[in-house]
Amino acid sequence: MNPNISALYTIAKKPERVIIGLMSGTSVDGLDVALCRISGQGTQTNVQLLAFETVVYEKSFKDHIKSVFSKRNVDLEKVCLLNAWVGTEHASIILSCLKRWDIDPTSVDLIASHGQTIYHAPKLLHPDDEFDNATLQIGDGDHIAVKTGIITLSDFRQKHVAAGGEGAPLAVYGDYLIFSSRKENRIMLNIGGIANFTYLPSGLDVAEVFSTDVGTGNTLMDAYMQAHFPGKYFDENAAIARQGKIHGALLQALKDNEFFTNDFPKTIGPELFNLDYLNVAMQKTDTSNLSHGDIMATLNRFSADMIVDALHRCMTNRTDFVVYTSGGGMHNPLLMEHIHEQLPGITFRDTAELEVNPDAKEAVLFAILANEAVAGGQVALGAGRNGIPAVSMGKISFPA
């Protein structure tokens, strides 16, 4: 037997595994590194977060990614080079974290790498009938495995697409395994660049469980800040948005897109919600002379309103749900105020109350996907619901 296969077989049989989960989102602000101890599989999965750090990317890293990120026309050679380079950079970050944590790399069983999405192309966004859903992440798993010496699972989204999904959101699989409750109706709301949630009604009926993107989280606000406030990557504490007033006509123009009326589940990205999208809405409403504060206030409300609209649609006026938040958007106080005020009677908490650091949640979920790929099986979710295939995900890269 190939010694790599033998090693993987040994890892799969262990009662618990130490897995590093990696997440780098559409905000391209840094790499989330979550060191997890995971036992069991399926609905018997148990997770302990041993260490976590978000390593902020240097400006040069961000600039390289943004040169190919979410663009229809890019330098193909640059994409080719970045695929290897991002994998190598992520491996270096992992080794640095392990050194700071005083953890021997040989004690880590697996790495679960999401990679860096550079283009997301659900059928909704491209007109070519010859092609179906597609998505592309860079940061080659082989480079991570070889440099760290640790078996690496990566490229999780491709199996989802191959099996009939859109490649996102994948949170439903991990959310169901570790956050489902027989006693409490839960919604796991993650506000990253794009906002998404997982619907987890009590009773653990997999036919009712689903996850969906709902629209913008931080992506439009971040893009506007970076374009008009050099050196700033986001609106810290909503300082700029609080200086302005919401412009009603612009807000309605931003909401005027078929994506928001499409059925759940659905997925989207900055390929739609970008500064061009904003500029079209501003041209329609003759609002090109608005102050930065007014535009940011309107974008903030836009994100909040579409999150609330989606939550209303799935809760159907019930107030017995608890919404557990995670992601960078939960730290935007104005965004959260807009959401809370429109959902009176709904209890909001964050995933720390479920023993998962809300900033680490997405990285932890990819560690869970890797655990399922090695020691579990197909996660059967959303029976009868299109777009949620029952699959295991993750391509395996050996270090030698």
Side-chain angles (χ1 to χ4, degrees):
M1 180 184 291
N2 184 303
N4 288 306
I5 300 295
S6 178
L8 186 62
Y9 182 65
T10 298
I11 291 168
K13 291 194 301 179
K14 293 172 69 171
E16 61 182 30
R17 286 153 289 281
V18 176
I19 304 177
I20 291 176
L22 305 178
M23 181 64 198
S24 181
T26 55
S27 296
V28 198
D29 50 4
L31 182 67
D32 294 336
V33 185
L35 182 69
C36 307
R37 178 177 287 119
I38 303 179
S39 62
Q41 51 87 25
T43 56
Q44 302 304 309
T45 300
N46 290 292
V47 181
Q48 180 184 4
L49 183 60
L50 302 177
F52 172 72
E53 185 173 340
T54 296
V55 179
V56 177
Y57 291 142
E58 295 181 357
K59 184 179 183 300
S60 61
F61 187 102
K62 296 178 183 180
D63 290 344
H64 282 308
I65 298 300
K66 288 182 180 296
S67 72
V68 300
F69 177 73
S70 190
K71 295 179 180 178
R72 287 178 177 268
N73 299 302
V74 297
D75 182 338
L76 184 56
E77 181 180 71
K78 185 73 175 286
V79 173
C80 181
L81 294 171
L82 286 178
N83 185 42
W85 182 77
V86 170
T88 300
E89 290 294 303
H90 282 183
S92 295
I93 290 173
I94 292 167
L95 293 175
S96 295
C97 285
L98 290 175
K99 185 176 181 179
R100 283 193 294 275
W101 298 336
D102 196 24
I103 301 291
D104 190 330
T106 61
S107 68
V108 178
D109 294 303
L110 302 168
I111 293 170
S113 174
H114 170 268
Q116 178 63 59
T117 297
I118 60 168
Y119 206 85
H120 189 58
K123 188 68 177 172
L124 170 70
L125 291 185
H126 68 82
D128 198 324
D129 290 336
E130 185 178 357
F131 303 116
D132 208 333
N133 300 312
T135 187
L136 182 62
Q137 290 72 43
I138 60 173
D140 180 59
D142 283 337
H143 285 73
I144 297 174
V146 169
K147 181 158 187 175
T148 61
I150 302 168
I151 296 173
T152 298
L153 283 81
S154 62
D155 219 12
F156 291 89
R157 298 189 184 276
Q158 296 305 324
K159 176 69 77 62
H160 195 264
V161 171
E166 294 187 2
L170 301 187
V172 60
Y173 298 90
D175 281 345
Y176 174 71
L177 295 183
I178 64 171
F179 293 130
S180 290
S181 169
R182 292 190 180 278
K183 299 179 180 179
E184 185 175 72
N185 294 307
R186 293 174 174 173
I187 289 177
M188 314 305 297
L189 173 62
N190 185 74
I191 310 175
I194 297 297
N196 62 70
F197 69 81
T198 301
Y199 179 77
L200 297 173
S202 62
L204 307 186
D205 183 352
V206 295
E208 295 185 42
V209 175
F210 70 93
S211 186
T212 184
D213 286 345
V214 301
T216 61
N218 305 315
T219 186
L220 267 176
M221 291 186 285
D222 289 353
Y224 191 86
M225 289 295 295
Q226 291 165 27
H228 296 280
F229 296 85
K232 291 186 179 293
Y233 291 98
F234 65 100
D235 187 11
E236 188 171 1
N237 295 320
I240 304 301
R242 287 195 186 277
Q243 295 174 13
K245 296 180 179 180
I246 298 165
H247 192 283
L250 177 58
L251 179 60
Q252 291 306 312
L254 290 167
K255 295 178 180 180
D256 185 17
N257 190 280
E258 65 176 325
F259 171 79
F260 297 115
T261 58
N262 288 348
D263 292 336
F264 302 143
K266 54 189 175 182
T267 180
I268 204 65
E271 292 75 20
L272 174 62
F273 294 122
N274 50 41
L275 292 181
D276 286 341
Y277 184 89
L278 171 62
N279 289 335
V280 169
M282 292 175 68
Q283 290 170 10
K284 288 181 178 178
T285 54
D286 192 23
T287 50
S288 59
N289 292 324
L290 284 183
S291 69
H292 293 319
D294 288 351
I295 292 172
M296 284 298 296
T298 305
L299 291 177
N300 192 299
R301 183 70 186 212
F302 173 51
S303 290
D305 282 3
M306 304 329 292
I307 291 169
V308 169
D309 178 72
L311 293 178
H312 273 309
R313 286 172 60 185
C314 73
M315 290 190 292
T316 58
N317 296 320
R318 293 170 58 179
T319 59
D320 58 344
F321 278 86
V322 178
V323 178
Y324 289 90
T325 56
S326 60
M330 67 175 283
H331 301 299
N332 184 311
L334 182 60
L335 178 65
M336 297 310 297
E337 286 171 21
H338 287 320
I339 293 172
H340 290 171
E341 71 184 19
Q342 296 183 77
L343 293 169
I346 299 296
T347 300
F348 281 83
R349 298 173 181 157
D350 66 52
T351 58
E353 298 199 29
L354 301 177
E355 300 183 351
V356 174
N357 180 331
D359 293 316
K361 178 183 172 245
E362 286 194 287
V364 170
L365 292 182
F366 280 96
I368 292 169
L369 291 183
N371 186 69
E372 280 299 300
V374 170
Q378 294 183 343
V379 183
L381 288 172
R385 185 186 290 273
N386 291 329
I388 310 179
V391 291
S392 61
M393 291 166 278
K395 296 174 183 174
I396 299 172
S397 295
F398 294 122

